[in-house]
Each structure stands twice: as C-alpha cells, then as structure tokens.
Amino acid sequence: AGIAAAVAAGRLGAKVVLVEQSGYLGGLGTAGLVPCFCPFTDGEKPVARGVGEEVLGEMARRMGMPIEEWMPIHPETLKSIYDDVVSASGAVMRLYSKVVEVRGRDRIEAVIISTHKGLKAVKGRVFVDATGDGSVAAWAGAPFEVGGATGETQSSTLCFGFSGIDWAEYDAHRPPSGLRPDRIIWQEQFAKGMTPLMERHLTTGILRNGGDSAGLNVGHVYGVDGLDEESLTRGTVEGRRGVWQYLDWYRKNVPGCGAIDLAVTAATLGVRETRRITGEYVLSYADYLSRAGFDDEIGRCAYPIDVHSSTPEGMEETQKQFENTAYAPGESYGIPYRSLIPKGIENLIVAGRCISSDRAMQGSVRVMPYCFVTGQAAGVAASLASADCGGSARGVDIERLRGILREQGAFLP
C-alpha cells in the first residue's frame, strides 16, 4: 500500500517521502516471505490494476514465468522491483526509519521517526498511513476496532523457504486436478491424526519460485496480539520452532523433498489482523453480498472473505467460508474513498489492511493486490489534497481523483 501510494503521488509531481522501518520495501511480500500474490483478477479480467499490475507483470518477466492466478514471489526479485519503481517515480525512500509518534491530532504536523542518529520529525501537508496496523491514525486519535466481539484476531503465520527440491519428482505425483501433493498428503494424514501439528490444511503449501527453491505459507500461530511486542515475540519464536517440524515432515512424506534444506525463515511474523480504522464509511459484509458500487469508489475487489480462525478448531470453518463466499467470474465490489478517510483527522488517508471496514470485509480487502489498489488511490488523493485543498483529504474532487486513477491504469468501470 505504501509503495503504490508513493509511486502514484510521485508520478504526479508531488514531493514524497516513503518511510520504511526495515532495510527494504515490501512488507509481507518481502520481509514476511509470503510466497505468492493472491489473484489480481475476478476470474475473467484483472481488477487490481495500476501500480500493482505493473509490479505483477515485471515480477513475471524477471522470473521468466507466465503470470499465474496465484503468482509465486521471489522475494529478492520483488525487493529490486520495488526499489526501481519507487526511485523512478521521484519519491524519496527513507529506510531504517521507524515511525514512533505523531505530532498533532485533528491535523497532523509531523510524524516522528526513530533513526540511528536519534529521533527526527518528518513534516508534511498530507500523510498516508500504510503501516497495516493503522498506527499513525490511532496515535493521532482516530477511532478504531480490533478483531472480533471479544477482541480475538486472525491467526498469524511465519512463512519460510526451502531449497533442494526435486521438482520433476514432485510434479510426477501431481494429480490431474492440479492439487499439490503436499496438501493432499497432509489432509490424508490429518484425518488419521498422523500430522506433527494439529493444522487442518497447509494454506498455500509449497510454491516454486525458481531453481530448486520454494516459498511456503504453511501453518498458523494462534493467540498473537499483533500490537503487543511480548505477544509478537512469543508468536515468532513459536513459529520458528514449527518450521523445523514442517521441514522434517516434508522430508519424510512429500515426493521430491527428501533432500531439502531450510533456506530461510521470514524476518517478520505474518500478522493478518490488527486495527481497523473507523472512517467516513465502514465497508461491510452486506456490501460484499450485494456486490456494492459507490459513487466515490476508487477501485474494486474480487477476493473472497478470508478470515483465518483464531483457534485450530475453527480452521475448517475458515476454509468453508473462503469457498462459500467466492464470487462468480466477473463479479466484484467497490471500495469507496470514504473508507480511506479516518474520522476526526483532516490531513490523513489510510491504505492497506487497516482501512475502514467490518471484520469480515477486512478478510477480503487485506490481501496484497487490493493493498496496491487502496494505496494508489491514497497517493493520488494525497497529491490532490496537498496541491489544491490546503491539505484536506476531505476536500478532494472525487471525479478528478477517479479520472487520474483511470489515467494511471486503475479499474473503475
């Protein structure tokens, strides 16, 4: 979301600073080793277009692969693409800079970043919160919600990578249905109580991302509060311990994996849910069911409701919900600009998984293709607000915003 916002605003000539806490851009697709992009399409055509679609096409080109519905990610390739696309836009990157505080409430004056030289203030007319956690918005006083009725949140995952896979042997055991052998074998063994961990399915399972290597989004860590450092520490350590159990299981049970090595574990835990900022419009499950459209929509989304259970026992229901809510080909819902505008703050726009929605809808709009969509819209809106509206995100001309997004390749039928 932050990348798309910076690129979109930079291409319009705005003066942009993109602040990133780690040494590279990309969040969960790079630091989190999420092994693939979720679908950009509605089953008929691309829906998540613009900056995200550019990144997807360049990823496929550099990996020497055709674009797939669940496109594998080579994290080092993706890091380089993000460096290139942000630099080309004119936006300035500030890596190794973590936002730790906000100055101002109704109108933000600056964000405070922690650097190796101490604290610094980054001032601006308009700010985009693409932290995923909605931290800037929350610290500035925006209302928000976390999790379900009792505060429970989606389970997390620590992703990882394998090397040394014999793909010829692996593919020889792939059935005509195309299902991955590891997922089939796991489900058969789980039904007999033979798996090392009580997980109902392997999420994505093993995904080839080049040579003899693969990325894996496998398993869950339960009971993690993604806003609490002690809980995150416990969850990350637990996730790393689980990786070794999966490695042993793959070696013993999956064709082509008898000689694999653990290549890498993610630098950050894959947290699916923390704050949902309350905005001028709360995107709801009813909007999903009605395939809603909005006069101020800045993009459309076609991804199913994907709320990972907060307990192991609920994962079967998670899978059923994902399958039962999937749209027919060609269907999607609109994302209104008002869902990017936090209540009570004049010059802030949110983008990514923290936009204003109910919990079910957050399970749909949180994935990377649609973080690109909301991020690009936030970047264009921020540029317009800065140039024409005295920094007011609410003063943006919606038709002009939508027109520029179309010029930048967005899907707005």
Side-chain angles (χ1 to χ4, degrees):
I3 292 161
V7 170
R11 288 176 176 175
L12 292 173
K15 183 179 180 182
V16 181
V17 175
L18 176 58
V19 175
E20 165 58 43
Q21 64 185 339
S22 69
Y24 43 85
L25 304 175
L28 272 295
T30 52
L33 295 184
V34 172
C36 66
F37 284 118
C38 293
F40 280 65
T41 78
D42 62 8
E44 291 183 347
K45 59 189 173 298
V47 173
R49 299 185 187 174
V51 173
E53 192 177 26
E54 291 177 36
V55 169
L56 179 70
E58 183 63 11
M59 167 69 76
R61 188 190 71 80
R62 294 193 191 186
M63 291 177 66
M65 297 176 60
I67 294 177
E68 299 180 10
E69 190 75 352
W70 295 82
M71 183 67 196
I73 292 173
H74 188 282
E76 297 305 321
T77 301
L78 189 56
K79 290 176 189 176
S80 296
I81 292 171
Y82 287 152
D83 287 344
D84 293 345
V85 72
V86 172
S87 297
S89 75
V92 174
M93 290 185 283
R94 287 290 179 264
L95 306 179
Y96 306 105
S97 303
K98 182 175 177 62
V99 177
V100 294
E101 190 180 333
V102 174
R103 285 185 184 169
R105 300 285 284 185
D106 298 341
R107 178 178 287 269
I108 297 174
E109 301 171 6
V111 294
I112 308 303
I113 62 174
S114 174
T115 76
H116 292 300
K117 291 186 177 180
L119 301 181
K120 298 182 180 181
V122 181
K123 299 181 179 181
R125 300 190 76 185
V126 187
F127 296 84
V128 174
D129 183 342
T131 61
D133 297 318
S135 297
V136 172
W139 296 339
F144 61 87
E145 295 181 342
V146 178
T150 61
E152 76 279 8
T153 57
Q154 296 183 57
S155 49
S156 300
T157 296
L158 189 78
C159 296
F160 52 96
F162 286 158
S163 61
I165 302 159
D166 183 337
W167 288 112
E169 183 181 355
Y170 180 86
D171 289 336
H173 288 78
R174 190 187 291 264
S177 65
L179 290 175
R180 299 184 184 93
D182 47 330
R183 297 189 73 183
I184 296 172
I185 296 167
W186 183 275
Q187 289 170 1
E188 291 173 348
Q189 292 191 8
F190 179 85
K192 299 175 183 177
M194 297 170 57
T195 51
L197 295 164
M198 291 305 294
E199 287 287 348
R200 290 189 175 275
H201 62 89
L202 286 180
T203 318
T204 64
I206 197 166
L207 284 167
R208 184 175 187 174
N209 60 15
D212 65 352
S213 65
L216 296 92
N217 175 2
V218 165
H220 296 85
V221 182
Y222 297 94
V224 173
D225 179 352
L227 299 174
D228 179 83
E229 67 277 8
E230 292 183 17
S231 185
L232 284 167
T233 300
R234 189 270 302 169
T236 302
V237 171
E238 181 180 325
R240 276 197 288 266
R241 288 174 179 150
V243 168
W244 292 100
Q245 292 176 279
Y246 284 113
L247 174 67
D248 182 65
W249 181 84
Y250 268 88
R251 282 174 174 169
K252 293 176 178 176
N253 294 279
V254 180
C257 295
I260 59 172
D261 286 318
L262 177 60
V264 62
T265 59
T268 187
L269 188 64
V271 174
R272 294 180 172 90
E273 179 182 21
T274 51
R275 299 185 187 96
R276 303 187 308 276
I277 300 302
T278 303
E280 297 297 332
Y281 184 88
V282 180
L283 200 57
S284 71
Y285 185 49
D287 294 324
Y288 184 90
L289 295 176
S290 68
R291 283 71 170 166
F294 302 91
D295 291 340
D296 65 336
E297 69 182 46
I298 46 76
R300 295 190 69 84
C301 179
Y303 192 68
I305 304 297
D306 189 13
V307 180
H308 286 233
S309 172
S310 57
T311 65
E313 296 77 18
M315 287 310 299
E316 185 176 12
E317 184 60 33
T318 293
Q319 186 65 20
K320 288 180 180 178
Q321 181 185 57
F322 181 83
E323 295 168 355
N324 293 339
T325 59
Y327 282 161
E331 295 183 331
S332 61
Y333 65 85
I335 305 170
Y337 176 62
R338 287 165 293 160
S339 290
L340 278 59
I341 306 302
K343 285 189 173 183
I345 307 172
E346 190 66 24
N347 63 337
L348 178 66
I349 306 170
V350 296
R353 66 173 167 85
C354 60
I355 70 167
S356 181
S357 71
D358 66 17
R359 189 170 186 236
M361 199 58 127
Q362 193 266 355
S364 168
V365 79
R366 66 179 173 81
V367 296
M368 286 188 281
Y370 301 101
C371 289
F372 281 125
V373 170
T374 56
Q376 184 165 355
V380 173
S383 176
L384 294 177
S386 178
D388 303 333
C389 310
S392 173
R394 288 173 177 77
V396 171
D397 184 308
I398 297 300
E399 286 310 308
R400 189 172 178 213
L401 168 62
R402 284 163 50 84
I404 294 173
L405 285 170
R406 285 194 182 97
E407 292 172 4
Q408 291 192 350
F411 176 61
L412 285 168

